[in-house]
Amino acid sequence: SQTIHQWPATLVQPVGSPLSLECTVEGTSNPNLYWYRQAAGRGLQLLFYSIGIDQISSEVPQNLSASRPQDRQFILSSKKLLLSDSGFYLCAWSVLGFHGYTFGSGTRLTVV
Amino acid sequence: AQTVTQSQPEMSVQEAETVTLSCTYDTSENNYYLFWYKQPPSRQMILVIRQEAYKQQNATENRFSVNFQKAAKSFSLKISDSQLGDTAMYFCASEGGSQGNLIFGKGTKLSVKP
């Protein structure tokens, strides 16, 4: 069966420090992968999506970047965190022909 | 740009009663899917129900059903026989864009009271 792993679950980082959040999917090949951010009262905002290795699209200009070093691995990074990067980050996957996402358990990031 | 609007930031319902959450959307797609996701306090996003726009019959999943009005671009969620475990944030989402990305509303916080 397919599963998605996302870590860490919580993270407290100082302003200006780097960030790396990781997401991996098991049990499927060539998934579409997504990073969303959920800020309080603002719903879910799509940050990046990837339909394949080396195919990453950014939806919102920001202080973050994404990479996909392997087919089932999606990484969200920042070189220098800002206070405004605080939020709840969700990774999700889907496959061609299946409409809808399966989400990871999320990472709560607090930038202090 | 596609938008999804949930006009009820918070709602409450007594246990065992029925509640309806509202959602409207705007899309230029001809065929698309609509979704309701549940986010309990654990914050895990769980797919509740989905509807294909070409299907006239409203989707049903046990106690959850939708009222899909395509012309009005309305997609409401009805929860029957509400249970305490239904307490959660509920997000409406529309599928759109060339890659089928989901666009989410801001959510409705539902509290089920004993």
Side-chain angles (χ1 to χ4, degrees), chain B residues 1 9 17 23 28 37 68 91 99:
Chain B
E17 293 187 347
C23 173
S28 58
Y37 278 86
F68 175 46
F91 291 95
Q99 303 302 330

Side-chain angles (χ1 to χ4, degrees), chain A residues 11-24:
Chain A
L11 193 59
V12 179
Q13 292 283 93
V15 168
S17 65
L19 173 73
S20 180
L21 303 181
E22 189 165 341
C23 173
T24 59

Side-chain angles (χ1 to χ4, degrees), chain A residues 32 34 36 38 41-44 46 49 51 59 88 90 98-106 108, chain B residues 33 35 37 39 42-47 50 89 91 95 98-107:
Chain A
N32 293 343
Y34 309 86
Y36 279 84
Q38 185 178 18
R42 296 185 63 184
L44 279 77
L46 178 63
Y49 66 93
I51 61 171
E59 287 291 301
F88 190 65
L90 284 158
F98 178 79
H99 298 268
Y101 297 170
T102 300
F103 283 88
S105 53
R108 176 177 291 282
Chain B
Y33 281 73
F35 307 85
Y37 278 86
Q39 188 180 41
S42 67
R43 304 204 76 172
Q44 175 74 54
M45 292 284 285
I46 302 165
L47 177 63
R50 66 178 182 176
M89 283 287 289
F91 291 95
E95 181 184 66
S98 60
Q99 303 302 330
N101 298 334
L102 296 191
I103 308 299
F104 287 85
K106 290 187 177 183

